[in-house]
Amino acid sequence: MNVLVCAACGRRLSPPLRLLPELPERPGYDGRDGARRAPSTVPRGRYAVDPEPSGRPYVPHPDPEWMGAAYPGGPVRLDPDGPGCLVSAGPRGTLVVHPADTTGLLTPHPDVRPTGCCSEPEGDGPDWACPGCGTGVASLLASCTGPYETHFLPDAVREVPA
């Protein structure tokens, strides 16, 4: 088991977590159960590496006719400056954890305000920071129709034995 620590100051940012061999399939969500979000992709006490781009920045898809999700399992984001949709150009290799596994261990980033669907941030950079040094370390993906997961930036954290 490992804990995730801030690469800048070494502060612990997660409880002990067990690495999964791959990112589980993102659960489907139909909204009929009355919940405002899908179940978490990763179970509590586990984490996985996401090989796909995740989060900001979002850039126009090269095909203006393309109408797909901005990131795997996520919502469609229309390009406010032109035809077509936006797609994530964020980092690959983010560490995905259950959002409840970060409760009380992260602090909201002061420069990123939640403004989107279900308070998903739309600003630049990660929306969660290390409470020790203020470095942006993670982003919560919690759109009503997308996955429910916290993504740690691969360069902002280190995995250390628990």
Side-chain angles (χ1 to χ4, degrees), residues 3-160:
V3 294
L4 304 180
V5 300
C6 178
C9 73
R11 184 171 179 138
R12 184 174 65 89
L13 303 174
S14 78
L17 302 169
R18 187 173 311 279
L19 179 62
L20 296 170
E22 63 185 20
L23 184 67
E25 184 176 329
R26 290 181 167 95
Y29 175 64
D30 62 15
R32 287 187 251 165
D33 64 359
R36 297 235 351 138
R37 63 176 62 104
S40 182
T41 304
V42 177
R44 298 243 3 222
R46 306 286 193 269
Y47 73 110
V49 177
D50 188 351
E52 298 296 325
S54 176
R56 295 164 289 279
Y58 293 98
V59 298
H61 191 277
D63 178 358
E65 300 294 318
W66 183 81
M67 292 295 289
Y71 51 86
V76 171
R77 290 184 183 231
L78 297 176
D79 185 347
D81 298 323
C85 292
L86 299 175
V87 64
S88 173
R92 293 178 183 266
T94 57
L95 303 179
V96 182
V97 305
H98 191 293
D101 281 336
T102 64
T103 301
L105 297 170
L106 301 175
T107 188
H109 196 288
D111 297 332
V112 181
R113 294 193 208 313
T115 59
C117 177
C118 295
S119 297
E120 183 177 0
E122 301 293 333
D124 293 328
D127 56 321
W128 290 101
C130 170
C133 66
T135 298
V137 294
S139 291
L140 173 66
L141 300 182
S143 172
C144 293
T145 59
Y148 180 54
E149 42 195 50
T150 296
H151 286 247
F152 281 94
L153 298 173
D155 294 339
V157 297
R158 290 182 293 118
E159 302 165 72
V160 299

